């Protein structure tokens, strides 16, 4: 009532100050009416301030109820998903609902309550003031006001639909980005960067179209405001000569009416239309989404990404081998090795655990491995010459067009059964070399040849939620508990498998240390049908004794060529030869020869010895 009284008194006092004061030469009377209008301003402000507490008391309990509803619904959905099996979250969009949409609902409801209340009392004050000044004013003001309001009302439903589409597209982008972030290792391992980028681009394009459609319909708000707020002013100014000449309107009443329109009704109307356009449609859509069951609650269907594989799930184009943070690769069973899938790649990247590749021919291209290669006699020393297990001829590689090559003109032959260590400073290209050998990276120039299947084990071990046997044996077509025990014992993981409860025990990746994860990844690779094993700092979280035991297991494994990207001098000493990556001064040879011929190797050996 205080706000309505202030609105009424503002125009009414201006009209009387002009008609009864200044136009009649009574300056004191005019000033008195102006002072009365000014005194009403703080009274109205006091009334407005009193409203905020009441609005907060109304809005905050609604927000709390929405939060409880979303949390309970998300937990119930997660429980149902866990009961169905599979590691993929049933409704990852619950995060958007809880952190974003609940706040939209709270802010929108509070804004709508404030604006509706303000408009109602302002309109009441304006109508009362015009009736008191000259009832004929309503004939000029009310028709365009009603027409503009009707136009806006008709546009509310299409606006709500566009707002719903926009929020759905926004949720889809958030869910897709979360899926991609969680499944980056699977995506990299499967070489699916391009289709996943295209899929994300489609989601973003849909969101952009929804945003543009919403903005287009938002223009109706401007049109409605022009009809309801600006047209009455134009009509009043157009009709004022006739109204004044026929004495239906006094100059003071005209001034008061203009004040009502420009200072009270237009701002209140603009605020109302803007709030209903944005907050009103958002509140309707958000409340519908928050109170409706999440997708797949009844049927178990989620988004179009398949269950299994990585936190972010994966597209149907490939099979993901579980999630890096404990997700199951498939509901109820371990994944089967798939053609053309390898792990790792990129400078310093760690992807999934070893995945097996076999050569198609002599061009360096790779295809899936079949059975384990026929055993070779274990060599007693370094090997060289043609027909190596791995050959690089004039290999050059750079990350991107115009980038400085990481490797330039590299020639390397690793003989069947040889044990090679690779050393060098950080960033020199050691992991890049491992990616080229495994077929994850394609050389810009030169040829990479492989004489057998290649398994790359990165620094970050890849363990999924499942049994010990599933984790250790999923790169082998047929496995048994005895083979799992044998592989674990060979690489020094027997004690870990025993502590976990044996091959049939369930594995919780989050409960394992980094070293324990590496032991399981090493056992998995030992059991895999790979003729060439690349350990890219795959033992960095093990102590020196455990690291030596694991490397000796692969070095003594029949029909195996071992390449170790080393982080300790002991790895280089155990190798038949060591490749020192040092740009133009790159050298390869036994430990004793490199101490004499390679200054960089001497420095690295001295630094490693000092640290040890």
């Amino acid at each position: 009532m205080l706000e309505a009284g202030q609105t009424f008194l503002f125009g009414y006092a201006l009209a009387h100050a002009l008609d009864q004061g200044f136009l009649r030469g009574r300056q004191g009377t005019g000033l008195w009416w102006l002072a009365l209008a000014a005194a009403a301003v703080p009274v109205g402000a006091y009334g407005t301030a009193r409203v905020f507490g009441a609005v907060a008391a109304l809005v905050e309990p609604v927000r709390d109820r929405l939060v409880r509803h979303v949390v309970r619904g998300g937990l119930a959905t997660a429980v149902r998903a866990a009961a169905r099996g599979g590691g993929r979250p049933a409704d990852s969009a619950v995060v958007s609902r809880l952190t974003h949409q609940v706040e939209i609902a709270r802010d929108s409801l509070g804004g709508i309550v404030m604006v509706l209340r303000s408009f109602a009392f302002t309109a009441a004050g304006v109508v009362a003031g015009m009736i008191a000044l000259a009832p004929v004013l309503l004939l000029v003001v009310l028709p365009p006001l009603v027409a503009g309001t009707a136009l806006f009302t008709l546009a509310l439903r299409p606006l709500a639909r566009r707002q719903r589409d926009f929020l759905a597209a926004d949720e889809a982008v958030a869910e897709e980005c979360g899926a991609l972030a969680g499944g980056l290792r699977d995506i990299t391992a499967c070489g699916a960067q391009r289709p996943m980028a295209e899929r994300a681009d489609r989601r973003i394009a849909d969101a952009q179209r929804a945003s543009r459609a919403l903005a287009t319909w938002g223009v109706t708000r401007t049109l409605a405001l022009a009809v309801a707020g600006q047209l009455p002013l134009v009509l009043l100014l157009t009709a004022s000569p006739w109204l004044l000449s026929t004495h239906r309107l006094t100059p003071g009443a005209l001034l008061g009416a203009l004040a009502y329109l420009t200072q009270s009704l237009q701002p209140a109307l603009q605020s109302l239309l803007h709030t209903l356009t944005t907050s009103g449609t958002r509140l309707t859509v958000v409340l519908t989404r928050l109170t409706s069951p999440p997708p797949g609650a009844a049927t178990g269907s989620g988004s179009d990404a398949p269950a299994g594989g990585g936190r972010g799930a994966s597209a149907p184009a490939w099979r993901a081998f579980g999630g890096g943070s404990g997700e199951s690769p498939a509901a109820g069973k371990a994944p089967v090795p798939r053609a053309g899938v390898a792990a790792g790649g990129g400078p310093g990247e760690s992807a999934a655990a070893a995945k097996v590749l076999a050569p198609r021919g002599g061009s360096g291209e790779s295809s899936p491995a079949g059975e384990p290669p026929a055993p070779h006699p274990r060599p007693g020393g370094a090997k060289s010459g043609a027909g190596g297990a791995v050959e690089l001829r004039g290999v050059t590689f750079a990350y991107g067009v115009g980038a400085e090559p990481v490797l330039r003109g590299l020639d390397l032959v690793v003989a069947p059964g040889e044990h090679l260590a690779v050393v060098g400073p950080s960033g020199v290209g050691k992991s890049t070399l491992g990616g080229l050998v495994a077929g994850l990276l394609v050389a810009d120039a030169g040829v990479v040849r492989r004489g057998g299947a290649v398994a790359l084990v990165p620094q970050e071990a890849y363990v999924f939620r499942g049994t010990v046997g599933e984790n250790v044996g999923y790169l082998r077509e047929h496995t048994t508990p005895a083979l799992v025990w044998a592989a674990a014992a060979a690489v020094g993981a027997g004690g870990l498998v025993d502590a976990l409860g044996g091959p049939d025990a369930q594995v919780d990746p989050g409960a394992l240390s980094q070293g324990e994860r590496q032991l399981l990844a090493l056992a998995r690779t030992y059991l895999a049908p790979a003729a060439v094993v690349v350990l890219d700092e795959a033992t960095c979280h093990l102590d020196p004794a455990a690291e030596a035991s694991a490397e000796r297991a692969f070095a003594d494994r029949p029909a195996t060529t071992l390449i170790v990207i080393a982080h300790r001098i002991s790895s280089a000493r155990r190798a038949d030869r060591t490749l020192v990556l040092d740009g133009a001064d790159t050298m390869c040879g036994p430990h004793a020869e490199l101490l004499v011929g390679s200054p960089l190797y001497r420095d690295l050996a001295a630094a490693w010895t000092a640290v040890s």
Side-chain angles (χ1 to χ4, degrees), residues 311-607:
R311 188 168 30 203
S314 53
W318 80 88
R319 166 174 288 171
F321 293 154
S325 59
E327 290 78 8
S328 172
K333 65 179 181 178
V336 178
R338 177 183 170 90
V341 180
E349 291 182 2
S350 294
K355 283 118 180 146
V356 181
L357 292 175
R360 290 177 183 156
S363 64
E365 296 180 353
S366 299
S367 62
E371 295 301 316
H376 298 288
R378 177 66 194 159
K383 304 292 177 290
S384 61
V390 175
E391 295 185 38
L392 286 79
R393 299 293 185 185
V395 170
T396 298
F397 180 85
Y399 289 98
V401 178
E404 184 69 19
V406 180
L407 300 174
R408 188 193 301 272
L410 179 64
D411 292 316
L412 176 67
V413 176
V414 184
E418 185 177 5
H419 179 181
L420 177 74
V422 181
V423 301
S426 178
V428 76
K430 301 187 297 295
S431 293
T432 301
L433 175 61
L436 289 167
V437 170
L440 300 176
L441 302 175
V442 178
D444 298 325
V447 176
V448 178
R449 296 187 178 93
R450 307 171 194 88
V454 179
L456 171 64
V457 189
Q459 178 179 353
E460 185 178 351
Y462 188 75
V463 178
F464 56 84
R465 189 178 295 275
T467 67
V468 174
E470 289 169 345
N471 269 278
V472 173
Y474 84 76
L475 291 181
R476 188 181 182 94
E477 188 71 24
H478 303 290
T479 186
T480 63
L483 287 174
V484 172
W485 278 113
V491 300
L496 172 61
V497 173
D498 184 58
L500 291 174
D504 294 329
Q506 290 291 321
V507 175
D508 179 7
L512 299 178
S513 68
Q514 291 178 324
E516 289 170 335
R517 292 186 183 204
Q518 287 189 334
L519 284 174
L520 289 180
L522 290 169
R524 172 191 304 146
T525 308
Y526 189 88
L527 200 56
V532 179
V533 174
V534 181
L535 304 181
D536 187 357
E537 300 196 13
T539 59
C540 63
H541 296 296
L542 304 181
D543 60 56
E547 177 185 67
S549 176
E551 289 184 8
R552 279 196 300 270
F554 283 102
D556 294 338
R557 178 174 177 258
T560 300
T561 300
L562 178 62
I563 300 176
V564 178
I565 297 176
H567 64 284
R568 292 190 180 108
I569 187 62
S570 54
S571 294
R573 287 173 174 168
R574 283 190 291 269
D576 299 326
R577 289 188 302 157
T578 298
L579 173 66
V580 184
L581 290 177
D582 188 19
D585 296 324
T586 293
M587 293 184 64
C588 187
H591 171 71
E593 292 182 8
L594 293 175
L595 286 176
V596 176
S598 174
L600 174 61
Y601 186 77
R602 284 197 302 271
D603 293 342
L604 291 173

